[in-house]
Amino acid sequence: MVLQEFSTLPNLKLSERQRLPECSAIYFAIAREQVLYVGLATNLRNRWQNHHRLPQLEAVNKRCEVKLFWLGCVQNQLNDLEHQYIEYYCPTLNQTKVPDRPIIPSFQMLTLSLKKLNKRVIGFGVCPADNQRLKTLILGYLAADYREIRLATTTVRKNLQAITRKPNSLFRWREVVRSRDGAHWSTRCNGIEIRLIPWFEERLMHNPSMYSVMEEKRFGAWTSIPMPEYEAMRQDVRAMSFTERLELARSSEIGQKLFPLECGAQFHTVSGVEILCVTDNQLQTLLSKHSHLQDQYPKICAIDSDPVPMLGF
């Protein structure tokens, strides 16, 4: 059962929990289509008389309505089903101690991930949910040559491992394909799956390629550059922000040739972070050139608004 099917389950507002039936069930606390908590109960009504998460959910309920959904089942299935649903939805409140440690919501951890990687990551698109999978956000981390691929993979791995080790959240990145030369990662956040895949094309953060753009701007058709000028150019490139490099590349003929994907992409908000995302035209071109993308993500569409729901509490 995935998120869309919750509408078929019986449900009550959090404030109406006294009316819950006395049955064994898996229950889901949901607000704005986000699964906040998953649990089990041998007697659902009794379980919610004094639930340990009630103060937290009541705080959320003041900002947006929380509903309790339940799936009736026999008692010997409760443990297995609870484990499956917690792993599947990665709910914000599950497996955090109450009230010993502050809770870090999953979307905040995803936001932190993107802030660390947004100069290397590009958004490819979003696949809608169906009966087999969650809504899926596809991100790519970019590199150019063999050396850059290894460096990019190592950098991404270190950043994601550091985030995964944080103790106050259930949010976890899984390395589903482990490789030095282009690993794949996956995570789930409040009912959305995020996949991070390697994409072996030139990247604006790859300094040596930006030197060609600087040459064109400073020296035009020159083919020989005095060493002091070359060293000054290198220092200038290193001091540039990502946005400055992007604007320089977009204003340069050679930049457009070297970095067509980035120069043609647009900034969009993803989990509250501004990252480059391919346009619909770019996505269609990529799908036509790379059949494996079309095979893996047949319903993918370009990102035009933040695909990650956020709930502040």
Side-chain angles (χ1 to χ4, degrees):
M1 180 184 65
V2 295
L3 192 59
Q4 292 87 326
E5 296 179 358
F6 279 114
S7 59
T8 66
L9 294 180
N11 63 89
L12 289 169
K13 297 178 182 179
L14 182 66
S15 59
E16 300 173 333
R17 61 188 180 278
Q18 301 294 338
R19 296 170 48 200
L20 289 168
E22 295 182 335
C23 65
S24 59
I26 300 295
Y27 57 83
F28 310 84
I30 297 176
R32 289 181 184 168
E33 296 188 339
Q34 295 187 59
V35 182
L36 303 179
Y37 190 79
V38 175
L40 62 83
T42 56
N43 185 311
L44 187 59
R45 183 186 297 174
N46 289 346
R47 183 72 183 91
W48 278 94
Q49 296 306 304
N50 189 25
H51 199 284
H52 65 292
R53 297 292 181 178
L54 187 57
Q56 293 167 303
L57 293 172
E58 286 179 330
V60 176
N61 197 55
K62 292 178 180 179
R63 301 189 181 190
C64 58
E65 186 176 74
V66 176
K67 288 189 175 182
L68 301 176
F69 293 74
W70 65 92
L71 175 68
C73 59
V74 295
Q75 292 189 20
N76 61 8
Q77 295 179 338
L78 289 174
N79 289 325
D80 287 343
L81 285 175
E82 181 192 41
H83 176 76
Q84 291 174 24
Y85 284 122
I86 289 174
E87 183 177 5
Y88 192 73
Y89 289 111
C90 192
T92 300
L93 299 180
N94 279 89
Q95 295 185 3
T96 53
K97 292 184 179 180
V98 181
D100 296 344
R101 300 189 292 191
I103 296 168
I104 305 177
S106 294
F107 71 78
Q108 289 187 14
M109 299 300 290
L110 177 60
T111 297
L112 179 61
S113 302
L114 295 180
K115 284 181 177 179
K116 287 182 175 293
L117 300 174
N118 70 332
K119 296 179 181 180
R120 187 179 293 276
V121 166
I122 194 164
F124 285 116
V126 179
C127 299
D130 55 33
N131 290 334
Q132 302 300 319
R133 68 189 70 184
L134 296 170
K135 179 180 179 182
T136 304
L137 170 64
I138 311 299
L139 304 173
Y141 66 96
L142 307 187
D145 53 29
Y146 181 73
R147 179 177 175 276
E148 269 293 298
I149 291 166
R150 285 199 166 190
L151 178 61
T153 302
T154 300
T155 300
V156 171
R157 179 179 289 120
K158 287 181 178 178
N159 280 311
L160 298 187
Q161 285 178 343
I163 294 212
T164 297
R165 284 195 294 266
K166 289 188 177 294
N168 293 13
S169 176
L170 184 64
F171 184 83
R172 298 289 183 268
W173 283 100
R174 294 186 303 112
E175 191 167 349
V176 292
V177 177
R178 184 169 179 83
S179 169
R180 290 184 298 176
D181 309 328
H184 297 233
W185 285 270
S186 175
T187 190
R188 285 173 175 167
C189 173
N190 298 346
I192 293 179
E193 183 168 349
I194 299 94
R195 297 182 186 176
L196 181 59
I197 63 175
W199 194 256
F200 304 144
E201 297 196 16
E202 186 58 72
R203 185 57 175 156
L204 286 175
M205 300 305 294
H206 186 45
N207 289 340
S209 296
M210 283 299 296
Y211 303 157
S212 299
V213 179
M214 294 289 284
E215 283 182 52
E216 181 188 69
K217 285 292 185 181
R218 292 187 176 184
F219 307 106
W222 286 23
T223 57
S224 179
I225 303 173
M227 183 56 68
E229 290 285 353
Y230 183 74
E231 288 298 327
M233 187 172 64
R234 290 181 61 182
Q235 295 301 319
D236 288 347
V237 169
R238 288 177 177 175
M240 286 181 186
S241 68
F242 173 73
T243 303
E244 288 172 331
R245 293 185 193 182
L246 178 60
E247 290 304 315
L248 181 61
R250 285 175 170 173
S251 66
S252 161
E253 182 178 348
I254 194 171
Q256 294 279 349
K257 292 179 180 179
L258 286 173
F259 318 117
L261 197 64
E262 293 87 347
C263 286
Q266 298 178 352
F267 281 102
H268 286 293
T269 301
V270 177
S271 192
V273 180
E274 291 291 310
I275 68 169
L276 273 179
C277 299
V278 299
T279 64
D280 183 63
N281 287 338
Q282 284 182 311
L283 178 60
Q284 297 310 316
T285 300
L286 290 174
L287 293 174
S288 65
K289 288 183 178 179
H290 304 280
S291 59
H292 69 280
L293 282 180
Q294 183 69 58
D295 294 340
Q296 292 178 3
Y297 314 114
K299 296 181 180 180
I300 190 172
C301 57
I303 298 168
D304 57 10
S305 59
D306 197 336
V308 182
M310 293 192 293
L311 181 66
F313 64 94

